[in-house]
Amino acid sequence: MVSKLLRSNINRMQIAAYTISNIVGLIITGLALQFYRDVAPDSEQGLQDPAGNARYTILSHLASPSFTRDAGNEISQAEVNEIIDQPWAEDASTLTTAGFDISVSLDMGGRGFSTALFFEGVPRDYLDISPSEWTFDPARPIIPIILPRQYLALYNFGFAPARGLPVLDERTISMIPLNVTVSGNGKAEMFRGKIVGFSSRLNTIAVPDGFVTWGNERFSPTGQTACKRVIVKLRDPGNPTITDYLRSHNLEEADNNGSARLLHFVKIVAASVAAVGILICLLSLGLLILSVFLLLQKSRPTLAALMAIGYHPRQLVALYIKGVAMMNLGILLISSGGIYIISRLWQSKLSALGMDCSSVYPTIISITLLLITLTMLSAISIRHNVMDIWAKKRPYSA
Amino acid sequence: MSHHPTITLRNLLPAVFADERQCHADSDIWLRDTVEFMQSTHYLIKAASGKGKSSLCAYLYGDRTDYTGNITVNGIDVSNLSTDRLVDLRRKHIAYLPQDLGLFPTLTALENIRLKNNLTSHKTDDEILGMLDTVGMAGLVDRPVAKLSLGQQQRVAIVRAMCQPFDILLLDEPVSHLDSNANLAVSRLIEKEASANNATLIVTSVGNDLALSRPVIMQL
């Protein structure tokens, strides 16, 4: 009966406006969140970027046809410093190129395997894995090596089946002893090599830069360390001026990092849309609090009369909070259904592209938490307003 | 049988009368050292308009505290009660009929009464209907209050006020719109309920007095 009494003061237009705006806000927030999670899933599949590889890129001068050993496309320290000074760059370092001949051989079950290779020296800070040792000590010469993950895939799915060789996993291949022969400048020396990991960031055969510098001094005909590539840690991978800068400085990206950067851009867009959704939710919360305030002002004589015949302000607060909670539960059900149905539309397309999409339930849990927060804020506002009426019912109280 | 005071007033005066203390020298209530309202005793407080009858009722009910002096109800100062204690006082100890009645016009007579009785569970539906019958409202229980006359509304509000346990029954001009027959019927009911609760009955009047049997008459 009290509910009936209080309901008579409700403005249906205000409630409808709150309901619709909150549903729209929650659906936008939820869809943006779901899209963000779909294009950047936590799993090992899809357009994933767990190591933040979109924030790294390797640059070199545009290759020009040349038949000489040194094409003259080295990157100077001044150029590196200029790159670091760019607003989109956080840090940069040269990859030191080995100016000597390298041959690696290994023995797999009696079948020998030998190939010429190249090494580039990479500072530890730019690795996407954390090998226990990433130093070179001439006194205890074991060379830690990091291979691109694509190389292993190429071996396992291309080379090994064709040659009848065993398929290897990362753990196994790390245990295979390598013999590294370094030669040049009239000298040759053999070292032990150990594969310490696989990188999805570096499209090169990486060794500690200390080894390359040491090797160049001994085996390179010039004794100098040449730097032809620079690895850049990006502050803002989605910055469109990067492309302009590279073009004007005759630089190119070693890997096709465009898709990773596009992904980063898409994620920024999705996050921005989510922020707009949350803003709409907050505005609808403001609308609800204003509606509740107006409703309570309109119901003031009724509430005062109820308190005068013995109703506790807490009972009346509970009635309003129950009403808001029921309304928000309805909003949650409608919004969740909307998010589920709409996200299916793009998830089916992504699945057709072979991408695994994220479950929609964590998104629904997130908007549930958001709505619980909104409900609690409304409850605080309701309590404040009702207690205000109780206090002003006795305007001369101390 | 000895009765104890349920309400004690000490040097009570509405703040609004602070500058006209000499005008209230003849009052039986304002500015008296001690005024005690005893259990099971019926009081009729008479005064001209503007003498503070409704203010006194609001003070006793804990609704207002714009006064000097002191009020205790069942030994407790009512000027500074917590929300819980004030609600408890209103539900179990003081039944109050305000002058503006405080009815809900969209609800029927019976719904208005149930609204309070649901809170206290003090009367059965039959008892409520019996009380309404006693005051001549039997045929009007399902009519919205907005469609009742002022006198009919007063009777509904009186019945509603008594749907709770009480030590004090406080009625602010309860029969101002009733004829003598209705006044008599209402008086019998009020006295019966007050006696059943061993309550202090305090009734104010600006002219049309509730027809009590042997009230203590006080001038405000």
Side-chain angles (χ1 to χ4, degrees):
Chain A
M1 203 180 300
V2 182
S3 305
K4 177 186 161 192
L5 197 60
L6 296 178
R7 262 204 308 274
S8 64
N9 286 325
I10 288 174
N11 183 325
R12 290 177 198 285
M13 284 301 289
Q14 283 170 355
I15 297 299
Y18 162 73
T19 306
I20 292 167
S21 60
N22 211 351
I23 287 173
V24 169
L26 282 177
I27 288 182
I28 290 174
T29 308
L31 288 180
L33 188 62
Q34 183 62 32
F35 187 70
Y36 185 94
R37 293 177 58 243
D38 279 344
V39 297
D42 296 327
S43 68
E44 284 291 312
Q45 299 182 14
L47 291 167
Q48 51 105 17
D49 187 19
N53 289 344
R55 297 196 62 203
Y56 290 86
T57 189
I58 296 173
L59 304 178
S60 61
H61 281 300
L62 284 170
S64 55
S66 171
F67 297 102
T68 60
R69 188 181 173 103
D70 288 311
N73 52 1
E74 290 179 13
I75 294 179
S76 68
Q77 189 56 44
E79 284 177 284
V80 174
N81 292 341
E82 189 185 336
I83 290 170
I84 293 171
D85 288 341
Q86 297 306 309
W88 39 262
E90 188 173 321
D91 203 357
S93 175
T94 51
L95 299 179
T96 46
T97 311
F100 46 86
D101 295 327
I102 301 155
S103 168
V104 174
S105 63
L106 66 158
D107 183 63
M108 290 196 297
R111 299 182 69 169
F113 177 85
S114 175
T115 183
L117 281 184
F118 66 93
F119 282 164
E120 272 186 307
V122 180
R124 179 187 276 273
D125 290 348
Y126 291 86
L127 301 178
D128 55 340
I129 55 174
S130 305
S132 55
E133 284 190 21
W134 192 248
T135 54
F136 175 73
D137 180 3
R140 201 169 55 82
I142 296 177
I143 307 166
I145 300 168
I146 293 176
L147 292 177
R149 187 162 275 124
Q150 297 100 308
Y151 283 25
L152 181 61
L154 205 59
Y155 168 82
N156 277 336
F157 299 111
F159 190 73
R163 297 294 182 93
L165 291 169
V167 172
L168 302 170
D169 62 16
E170 291 184 11
R171 202 189 172 105
T172 310
I173 209 163
S174 298
M175 291 189 289
I176 296 173
L178 300 175
N179 298 317
V180 180
T181 307
V182 175
S183 59
N185 210 17
K187 299 175 205 163
E189 205 166 330
M190 186 177 282
F191 301 92
R192 280 191 59 213
K194 179 173 168 55
I195 294 171
V196 295
F198 291 83
S199 169
S200 52
R201 175 184 300 165
L202 300 165
N203 192 13
T204 188
I205 299 169
V207 294
D209 48 351
F211 169 72
V212 177
T213 307
W214 177 84
N216 280 339
E217 287 168 3
R218 286 173 69 91
F219 303 108
S220 170
T222 60
Q224 301 286 314
T225 297
C227 300
K228 297 188 176 177
R229 305 210 295 172
V230 57
I231 182 164
V232 184
K233 185 177 184 185
L234 298 168
R235 190 189 305 280
D236 178 14
N239 194 323
T241 62
I242 296 176
T243 314
D244 296 338
Y245 181 87
L246 298 185
R247 193 180 299 126
S248 63
H249 288 73
N250 203 31
L251 291 166
E252 66 177 348
E253 290 184 79
D255 304 320
N256 183 12
N257 236 355
S259 63
R261 292 234 304 277
L262 180 63
L263 165 66
H264 189 80
F265 181 72
V266 168
K267 282 156 66 178
I268 289 171
V269 170
S272 306
V273 173
V276 170
I278 289 172
L279 183 67
I280 292 174
C281 287
L282 290 177
L283 287 174
S284 68
L285 170 70
L287 186 66
L288 175 66
I289 288 175
L290 184 65
S291 302
V292 165
F293 178 75
L294 292 173
L295 174 63
L296 292 174
Q297 289 303 309
K298 201 171 160 187
S299 306
R300 200 182 180 92
T302 307
L303 291 169
L306 284 169
M307 291 172 194
I309 61 171
Y311 278 84
H312 198 294
R314 207 160 39 226
Q315 281 177 288
L316 305 173
V317 168
L319 279 171
Y320 280 104
I321 291 177
K322 187 180 163 196
V324 169
M326 295 298 285
M327 193 163 60
N328 283 351
L329 182 64
I331 287 170
L332 177 65
L333 291 175
I334 294 170
S335 306
S336 301
I339 290 165
Y340 185 84
I341 292 165
I342 297 170
S343 62
R344 283 275 159 214
L345 297 177
W346 77 64
Q347 285 188 338
S348 59
K349 288 188 169 58
L350 292 182
S351 297
L353 294 172
M355 288 174 62
D356 278 352
C357 294
S358 303
S359 163
V360 79
Y361 296 111
T363 301
I364 289 174
I365 289 169
S366 301
I367 65 158
T368 305
L369 292 176
L370 179 63
L371 207 54
I372 288 172
T373 308
L374 297 187
T375 308
M376 286 172 71
L377 289 172
S378 309
I380 291 168
S381 168
I382 289 167
R383 187 180 180 282
H384 176 80
N385 279 289
V386 171
M387 288 314 292
D388 193 46
I389 293 171
W390 167 258
K392 285 182 182 164
K393 179 80 176 61
R394 301 184 295 143
Y396 303 99
S397 296
Chain B
M1 183 178 170
S2 67
H3 299 308
H4 62 84
T6 52
I7 298 173
T8 305
L9 315 179
R10 290 189 180 85
N11 289 310
L12 188 68
L13 187 70
V16 72
F17 296 157
D19 296 334
E20 46 189 73
R21 299 170 76 91
Q22 69 283 2
C23 300
H24 303 283
D26 298 334
S27 169
D28 294 326
I29 292 173
W30 301 140
L31 292 173
R32 298 299 99 191
D33 286 343
T34 303
V35 180
E36 291 183 328
F37 293 94
M38 307 303 288
Q39 183 196 16
S40 302
T41 308
H42 301 174
Y43 298 87
L44 181 64
I45 299 175
K46 302 177 72 156
S49 181
K51 288 287 186 180
K53 291 183 300 298
S54 295
S55 295
L56 175 65
C57 292
Y59 297 160
L60 297 180
Y61 197 55
D63 236 6
R64 286 169 50 188
T65 54
D66 55 322
Y67 55 82
T68 55
N70 175 266
I71 302 172
T72 57
V73 173
N74 292 338
I76 299 164
D77 186 339
V78 294
S79 65
N80 201 21
L81 288 179
S82 68
T83 300
D84 285 349
R85 293 194 72 175
L86 189 54
V87 168
D88 184 68
L89 188 75
R90 290 175 177 185
R91 283 187 189 177
K92 296 177 185 166
H93 301 286
I94 304 183
Y96 175 42
L97 171 75
Q99 200 176 4
D100 66 6
L101 307 179
L103 293 172
F104 302 98
T106 55
L107 301 183
T108 66
L110 190 57
E111 284 174 338
N112 263 281
I113 294 166
R114 280 185 180 147
L115 200 61
K116 174 158 188 171
N117 198 58
N118 288 348
L119 204 60
T120 59
S121 303
H122 189 61
K123 300 278 187 191
T124 63
D125 259 12
D126 285 345
E127 285 172 330
I128 292 169
L129 292 170
M131 288 163 76
L132 285 168
D133 189 34
T134 304
V135 296
M137 291 291 295
L140 301 169
V141 294
D142 293 323
R143 185 175 291 186
V145 162
K147 293 185 177 172
L148 296 177
S149 73
L150 266 176
Q152 289 165 337
Q153 289 183 19
Q154 259 180 336
R155 281 175 276 174
V156 172
I158 289 166
V159 171
R160 187 180 72 174
M162 295 188 294
C163 285
Q164 68 167 88
F166 54 83
D167 310 318
I168 299 152
L169 180 56
L170 193 57
L171 307 173
D172 191 7
E173 299 189 40
V175 290
S176 54
H177 294 87
L178 298 188
D179 60 37
S180 55
N181 287 337
N183 186 338
L184 205 58
V186 166
S187 300
R188 296 292 81 84
L189 179 65
I190 289 171
E191 286 188 316
K192 183 181 155 204
E193 289 293 321
S195 298
N197 285 277
N198 290 324
T200 305
L201 173 62
I202 300 174
V203 183
T204 67
S205 170
V206 73
N208 190 13
D209 301 344
L210 183 68
L212 298 172
S213 309
R214 290 188 307 278
V216 175
I217 296 176
M218 303 176 88
Q219 291 291 334
L220 196 58

